[in-house]
Amino acid sequence: MWLTMNGLGTIDDNAFVMKDGVYRAVGIRSWDPASRTWAIWWLDGRAPATIDPPVRGGFRGDEGVFLGVDTLRGKPIDVRFHWQGIHGARPHWQQSFSPDGGKTWEMNFENFFSRTSTVPVPVPLLPGEEARNTPSDWDFLVGRWRVRHRRLAKRLVGSRDWQIFGGTLVNRPLMGGAGNFSDNVMHFPNGTARSVGLRAYDPARAVWSSWFLDGRSPHDIPTPLTGRFEGGVGTFQSTELVNGKSMLTRVQWSGIGPDTARWEQSASEDGGATWEVNWVSEFQRDHSTRGAA
């Protein structure tokens, strides 16, 4: 597990050795100072295009309780995460479901944790994973980067007012290479913001999903962009609301080299016939020995 967003979030890399094979997953958490609650999401590596709905809650003393709503076999259920003994040598986590609005609960999953290291590192490849059919598209991004951002102050209004600011990004692999995450710092003109980018590969569709958790909206992970790399360029697209209208959003990675990369975001309000570039980020690898973002 790594701290993200200067301690206001976490990412963890999980491996479960099941009877029918290895199950990889990612846990994502973020803290909302306004409500003083944590949001927790789960990305199952067996269904890498979907992040489960979050549970929300907090800690009191030696335990924490987090509640949310999901569906099971087409019916709504309440979900509860329960952490116990968090300050002891063996923290204990339980997951329970309720089909009746919390009147009764069935505990269906529990984990007991024993610390093996105080230094976070990716879970290594496990037996059989070496043959995983996952492209090495994001290997270029692993490491620490300095970033120069150029962003339109307003999108799709004919603006030519570009804001220029700096930042950093630290990227690490997850799920044996089938995912990765970035811890970002952006020094906007009106203040510094933190964020997390998360990516996962879906071999069934041969596409990557890319999510963005903005530390200024810490309980919300919007719909991901999806796409792939071809000819050294990665193109990812989604639909979002801009100024109250449904727009296409496109992100492209290009200019990829050992120490450089370029990220460009565009928007289209005519179904992709024309595009307005609204954000450009130029990456320069940071060879210093400093720590995470």
Side-chain angles (χ1 to χ4, degrees):
M1 192 196 80
W2 294 265
L3 296 178
T4 61
M5 298 190 292
N6 200 31
L8 296 180
T10 73
I11 291 277
D12 55 50
D13 193 13
N14 301 272
F16 300 88
V17 183
M18 313 290 281
K19 291 182 179 179
D20 57 351
V22 176
Y23 159 32
R24 302 299 291 253
V26 176
I28 311 105
R29 306 175 188 86
S30 68
W31 169 253
D32 181 7
S35 63
R36 299 193 62 78
T37 58
W38 287 92
I40 306 174
W41 295 265
W42 186 250
L43 171 62
D44 186 328
R46 299 166 297 184
T50 304
I51 292 180
D52 289 347
V55 293
R56 297 185 172 94
F59 293 93
R60 177 175 295 180
D62 208 33
E63 65 178 336
V65 177
F66 307 85
L67 300 171
V69 178
D70 204 342
T71 58
L72 180 65
R73 293 187 286 272
K75 296 182 179 180
I77 56 167
D78 288 313
V79 180
R80 182 177 68 196
F81 290 0
H82 187 191
W83 280 93
Q84 303 170 66
I86 64 171
H87 298 120
R90 204 169 187 225
H92 176 206
W93 174 90
Q94 290 182 334
Q95 174 182 270
S96 300
F97 291 169
S98 172
D100 52 18
K103 295 178 182 178
T104 61
W105 293 90
E106 176 187 78
M107 192 272 287
N108 54 55
F109 206 148
E110 62 180 343
N111 300 328
F112 294 86
F113 293 80
S114 298
R115 188 182 301 280
T116 57
S117 173
T118 58
V119 178
V121 294
V123 176
L125 288 174
L126 301 178
E129 285 193 318
E130 289 80 356
R132 184 196 297 276
N133 186 25
T134 302
S136 57
D137 293 326
W138 296 99
D139 287 2
F140 78 92
L141 195 57
V142 174
R144 181 181 176 90
W145 299 81
R146 295 188 299 270
V147 190
R148 179 183 181 272
H149 298 280
R150 188 167 64 93
R151 185 186 71 162
L152 272 182
K154 295 182 179 181
R155 291 188 280 177
L156 297 172
V157 294
S159 173
R160 292 296 178 265
D161 179 16
W162 288 90
Q163 300 171 332
I164 298 175
F165 51 95
T168 60
L169 177 145
V170 177
N171 180 272
R172 296 181 174 91
L174 294 167
M175 297 193 294
N180 65 89
F181 80 95
S182 300
D183 192 11
N184 309 287
V185 179
M186 289 175 280
H187 301 296
F188 292 107
N190 60 349
T192 296
R194 314 279 308 217
S195 61
V196 172
L198 175 66
R199 305 165 192 91
Y201 185 68
D202 183 355
R205 298 185 299 151
V207 299
W208 289 91
S209 294
S210 178
W211 292 268
F212 185 75
L213 171 60
D214 190 331
R216 297 167 298 181
S217 302
H219 276 190
D220 180 37
I221 297 182
T223 302
L225 290 91
T226 58
R228 59 173 59 91
F229 283 83
E230 295 180 346
V233 176
T235 302
F236 305 87
Q237 190 167 300
S238 183
T239 301
E240 65 172 333
L241 287 176
V242 178
N243 301 327
K245 298 180 181 180
S246 180
M247 306 290 180
L248 292 177
T249 296
R250 181 182 69 191
V251 162
Q252 289 187 311
W253 286 90
S254 63
I256 297 170
D259 293 322
T260 59
R262 186 178 192 271
W263 178 94
E264 179 182 284
Q265 178 179 270
S266 305
S268 173
E269 54 185 348
D270 54 16
T274 61
W275 294 89
E276 177 191 75
V277 176
N278 55 60
W279 197 328
V280 177
S281 301
E282 302 285 350
F283 289 76
Q284 185 71 40
R285 189 175 299 280
D286 187 347
H287 290 284
S288 69
T289 59
R290 290 176 293 172

